[in-house]
Amino acid sequence: MKQANMKQFQPLLLLACGVFTALTGCGGTSGPKTVDVTGKVSLDGTPVDSGQIYFRAEDGSNTYATKIEKGAYEAKVTPGAKKIEIIGYRDIPGKFVEVNPGEKEPAREMFIPRQFNSDSTLSLNIGEDQSKLEENFELKTKG
């Protein structure tokens, strides 16, 4: 008898789920406006092969991060003034670390100077009216 009662409510339950989905939306474009920011990152003329780039809102409200791969990056970032921090990693020749017992991997080091990350003076202003922006960061430690 209880199973028969449950079957009576199944169509009502499906209808309620459909109404809820319609009211809450599905896959819409909610959220803050973002700009597609792309570019290249090099240090003293050599592309940064592996790393990360951070776009930190100057007011501290948000941070966007993305990978740097083979000297290039792509990110979706909200408009406004951003502080840029760049981190790069490279293998240390001849050095290895044991991450898991018996598994050796090349040891890596962070090689981008502090003036481009923790003490960065790099900045970028992304306009409200922009949908795409290309910004290259050609970092120089010499001359």
Side-chain angles (χ1 to χ4, degrees):
M1 181 83 172
K2 289 183 181 179
Q3 243 181 352
N5 287 339
M6 288 301 290
K7 285 188 178 188
Q8 290 174 347
F9 289 107
Q10 282 178 345
L12 186 58
L13 183 60
L14 288 173
L15 178 63
C17 287
V19 170
F20 179 75
T21 301
L23 291 175
T24 59
C26 183
T29 57
S30 63
K33 175 191 183 329
T34 58
V35 176
D36 292 328
V37 183
T38 61
K40 298 187 184 313
V41 181
S42 64
L43 180 66
D44 296 323
T46 302
V48 173
D49 193 50
S50 175
Q52 292 177 308
I53 184 168
Y54 296 87
F55 299 83
R56 298 190 188 280
E58 287 189 357
D59 66 5
S61 63
N62 57 50
T63 299
Y64 297 86
T66 192
K67 290 181 183 179
I68 300 168
E69 294 177 328
K70 297 180 183 174
Y73 73 91
E74 295 179 5
K76 289 190 177 293
V77 182
T78 55
K82 308 293 183 208
K83 176 182 175 184
I84 307 300
E85 296 178 20
I86 298 172
I87 296 173
Y89 306 100
R90 64 180 171 204
D91 293 347
I92 302 170
K95 285 195 146 191
F96 296 89
V97 294
E98 196 169 309
V99 178
N100 293 316
E103 291 182 28
K104 289 188 177 184
E105 293 183 11
R108 302 192 78 185
E109 68 180 346
M110 207 289 282
F111 69 97
I112 303 289
R114 294 174 63 113
Q115 70 208 48
F116 304 117
N117 44 68
S118 59
D119 295 335
S120 181
T121 58
L122 300 172
S123 63
L124 180 62
N125 194 10
I126 302 170
E128 265 307 319
D129 60 337
Q130 294 179 289
S131 62
K132 291 183 179 184
L133 174 65
E134 183 176 336
E135 187 68 30
N136 298 321
F137 294 95
E138 298 172 1
L139 313 177
K140 294 185 184 346
T141 62
K142 305 169 187 168

